């Protein structure tokens, strides 16, 4: 019984740690970076600075930040004020054109990557910037793992 318990704990904790994500970031070479702030939490200079920072992180790993193709790295910012605190939700998604394999192939749109961050905030502007940096760093790490030959 003890061995069975150890094996179950092993499979629950260790095995899933080898899969970072069900999404694939293989061979991405360019994306359009878009940050949407529906609730108008950040001012325009802050949004531009964050966009520039994201584009620079992508450029370092070889991903250009401009394409005519439908390949968009979208960062969506949402916040809800629940007195006395603010709850923020940041979503980073890669949305691309895709050919869906059916009896007749269909061109469509696919989510190639998605990661969320949900948190309480006392300093909303700083916490949003930190969250975006965290999500982009996660994206970059997965990209590096899946594209080792492109980074040489």
């Amino acid at each position: 019984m003890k061995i069975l318990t150890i094996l179950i704990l092993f499979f629950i904790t260790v095995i899933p740690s080898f899969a970072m994500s069900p999404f694939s970031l293989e061979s991405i070479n360019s994306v359009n970076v878009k940050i949407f702030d529906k609730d108008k939490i950040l001012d325009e200079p802050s949004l531009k600075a964050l966009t520039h920072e994201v584009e620079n992180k992508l450029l370092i790993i070889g991903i250009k930040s401009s394409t005519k193709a439908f390949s968009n790295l979208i960062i969506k910012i949402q916040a809800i004020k629940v007195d006395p605190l603010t709850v923020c939700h940041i979503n980073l998604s890669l949305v691309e054109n895709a050919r869906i394999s059916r009896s007749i192939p269909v061109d469509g749109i696919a989510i190639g990557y998605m990661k969320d961050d949900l948190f309480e905030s006392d300093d909303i502007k700083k916490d949003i910037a930190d969250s975006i940096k965290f999500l982009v760093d996660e994206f970059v790490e997965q990209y590096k793992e899946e594209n080792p030959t492109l980074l040489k």
Side-chain angles (χ1 to χ4, degrees):
M1 185 67 175
K2 193 175 194 180
I3 293 173
L4 181 63
T5 305
I6 291 171
L7 283 174
I8 290 171
L9 287 173
F10 174 78
F11 284 111
I12 290 173
T13 58
V14 176
I15 299 298
S17 66
F18 292 109
M20 275 188 83
S21 164
F23 302 110
S24 173
L25 299 178
E26 291 181 57
S27 303
I28 296 171
N29 59 8
S30 60
V31 297
N32 298 309
V33 177
K34 304 287 182 195
I35 299 179
F36 294 105
D37 180 10
K38 292 174 121 179
D39 300 318
K40 307 286 186 221
I41 300 161
L42 302 176
D43 56 17
E44 197 62 35
S46 297
L47 287 172
K48 284 184 180 181
L50 284 170
T51 302
H52 185 69
E53 189 173 331
V54 171
E55 290 172 344
N56 284 340
K57 283 187 177 190
L58 295 176
L59 195 55
I60 289 169
I61 60 171
I63 299 175
K64 297 175 190 150
S65 60
S66 178
T67 180
K68 296 205 184 298
F70 187 81
S71 181
N72 299 305
L73 187 72
I74 300 170
I75 299 170
K76 188 167 69 171
I77 302 168
Q78 295 175 301
I80 299 172
K81 182 98 171 133
V82 182
D83 285 332
L85 54 101
T86 303
V87 177
C88 295
H89 176 235
I90 311 295
N91 173 275
L92 185 143
S93 302
L94 177 66
V95 182
E96 305 173 281
N97 279 337
R99 178 151 285 216
I100 301 166
S101 189
R102 305 252 172 95
S103 60
I104 299 173
V106 177
D107 289 331
I109 297 172
I111 297 173
Y113 180 88
M114 185 182 332
K115 192 116 183 171
D116 295 283
D117 194 13
L118 183 66
F119 54 92
E120 294 178 16
S121 178
D122 295 326
D123 184 356
I124 194 164
K125 290 181 182 182
K126 179 190 175 303
D127 291 342
I128 287 172
D130 289 346
S131 176
I132 290 172
K133 289 174 190 170
F134 163 75
L135 291 170
V136 172
D137 287 346
E138 292 280 313
F139 179 90
V140 167
E141 276 306 307
Q142 183 171 336
Y143 180 85
K144 286 179 179 179
E145 284 186 16
E146 293 182 16
N147 298 282
T149 57
L150 295 177
L151 300 171
K152 291 181 179 181

